Amino acid sequence: MKTIIFYYTGTGNSLWSARLLAARLGDAVLRPMKGADALAAGEAEAVGFVFPVHVWGVPQPVVAFVDRLALRPGTYLFALAVNAGQVSRTLLQLQEMLARRGLTLAAGYDIVLPSNYIPWGGAAPAEKQQERFAGARAKLQAVAAVIADREPGPVEKGPLWQRIVFSAIYRMTGKQVHRMDRSFWCDDKCNSCEICARVCPAGNIEMKKGRPAWKHECEQCLACIQWCPRQAIQFGKKTPAYERYHHPEIALNDMLAQAGGRSA
Ligand SMILES: Cc1cc2nc3c(=O)[nH]c(=O)nc-3n(C[C@H](O)[C@H](O)[C@H](O)COP(=O)(O)O)c2cc1C
Ligand code: SF4
Ligand code: SF4
């Protein structure tokens, strides 16, 4: 295997991006970060990281994964930071994390797809979603050509104001993410199907009397609220009125595979 792409996803945007890239590269295999061991990169010539931007930075589970992954110096490293329009310092943060280990991020790309951040609003209209899918598809085609040739590319970033203001928020909120699940609740539409518990990559949901209960080890990926087939999970007061979002080409089984540490 020449290229290995590790992915993390809550609503499928990152998995879809990783799949598109892998299809263009031809020599790549996909592996979920969840469940991958420290030696998972093996002898790969190129290693990629594909993940969503969370709170203007690298999600904590991705930080932990990248830090423990054994990487040979000289490996061609690349990343896609999948986001809803504000990549901020995310890729610079990853570049710095790798540099501390003497490794170089050869190329890091900002891939804009629909937002899954339901506390700020529901799914965008279908037409807007399609625009973003088309934009990302075109960009991924160009990105694949750079990666296939193992060329150095850009490490993309947001504007300076975003990097200053929002990176401070990332640092301030980091330790609180686990407990943000206090705002989740479940309404009477729940039919005890347990999909929320099975889809959670953090094992943060247990069923109590047929209803989900959150254990405060949350990664804020939003998979539970977005994949509940009955839209019975809510976050705060506004989500009963919001439409859910997940990438239309990603299936629940793909998400269950990730949660189980298997390739989708
Ligand atoms: C907790 C959380 C924080 C987010 N923060 C940002 C952000 O800072 N900038 C941004 O552009 N999108 C942000 N988003 C949106 C996601 O990055 C975006 O929808 C991404 O495509 C989701 O990818 P996924 O489907 O692979 O999880 C956030 C989403 C979540 C759940
Ligand atoms: S996925 Fe939805 S319907 Fe199923 S158990 Fe969870 S909250 Fe209830
Ligand atoms: S509880 Fe929900 S938001 Fe938190 S990690 Fe699990 S699936 Fe993601």
Side-chain angles (χ1 to χ4, degrees):
M1 163 253 308
K2 283 190 173 172
T3 304
I4 183 162
I5 302 177
F6 294 103
Y7 68 89
Y8 174 75
T9 190
T11 50
N13 285 348
S14 303
L15 176 54
W16 178 82
S17 305
R19 273 189 181 160
L20 232 69
L21 183 58
R24 294 259 168 218
L25 292 175
D27 70 347
V29 294
L30 293 184
R31 295 280 179 268
M33 292 185 193
K34 157 113 184 145
D37 66 36
L39 300 176
E43 296 293 305
E45 187 180 295
V47 173
F49 305 103
V50 182
F51 57 88
V53 172
H54 279 182
V55 201
W56 303 285
V58 182
Q60 288 308 319
V62 178
V63 171
F65 173 76
V66 173
D67 277 346
R68 75 182 153 81
L69 186 67
L71 289 164
R72 286 178 300 115
T75 307
Y76 179 89
L77 301 175
F78 62 93
L80 306 180
V82 180
N83 66 92
Q86 293 191 336
V87 72
S88 195
R89 286 195 84 258
T90 305
L91 289 158
L92 298 177
Q93 181 191 348
L94 180 66
Q95 184 181 40
E96 288 159 7
M97 282 164 53
L98 293 167
R100 282 196 287 274
R101 294 172 55 187
L103 300 162
T104 303
L105 181 65
Y109 295 97
D110 166 17
I111 303 294
V112 179
L113 281 167
S115 176
N116 67 355
Y117 195 65
I118 195 164
W120 284 2
E127 197 182 302
K128 292 269 170 222
Q129 292 187 24
Q130 289 304 328
E131 276 172 25
R132 289 201 165 181
F133 297 147
R137 223 181 250 115
K139 180 156 183 179
L140 285 165
Q141 189 167 345
V143 162
V146 177
I147 294 171
D149 290 344
R150 312 288 189 241
E151 285 172 15
V155 173
E156 295 183 333
K157 55 183 188 276
L160 183 63
W161 64 267
Q162 206 177 78
R163 285 181 275 138
I164 293 172
V165 178
F166 292 155
S167 295
I169 300 175
Y170 176 87
R171 285 193 301 274
M172 282 184 315
T173 55
K175 291 201 172 84
Q176 296 157 32
V177 167
H178 289 328
R179 296 188 62 76
M180 286 180 188
D181 63 2
R182 282 172 298 184
S183 297
F184 283 126
W185 52 282
C186 172
D187 69 27
D188 289 341
K189 296 196 292 301
C190 175
N191 67 355
S192 310
C193 71
E194 300 193 6
I195 284 173
C196 50
R198 290 169 57 214
V199 87
C200 174
N204 184 45
I205 297 178
E206 61 183 333
M207 299 301 291
K208 283 190 178 166
K209 295 184 181 166
R211 294 290 169 95
W214 288 265
K215 299 191 285 187
H216 313 312
E217 288 297 334
C218 185
E219 297 174 356
Q220 278 290 294
C221 70
L222 301 185
C224 53
I225 186 168
Q226 299 284 17
W227 288 93
C228 167
R230 299 184 64 91
Q231 308 202 351
I233 297 179
Q234 311 299 342
F235 189 91
K237 292 184 184 154
K238 293 184 179 164
T239 59
Y242 291 160
E243 203 171 318
R244 286 2 186 205
Y245 171 80
H246 61 74
H247 195 289
E249 292 171 32
I250 298 301
L252 175 63
N253 274 343
D254 297 322
M255 301 302 300
L256 297 176
Q258 171 183 246
R262 301 184 311 277
S263 299

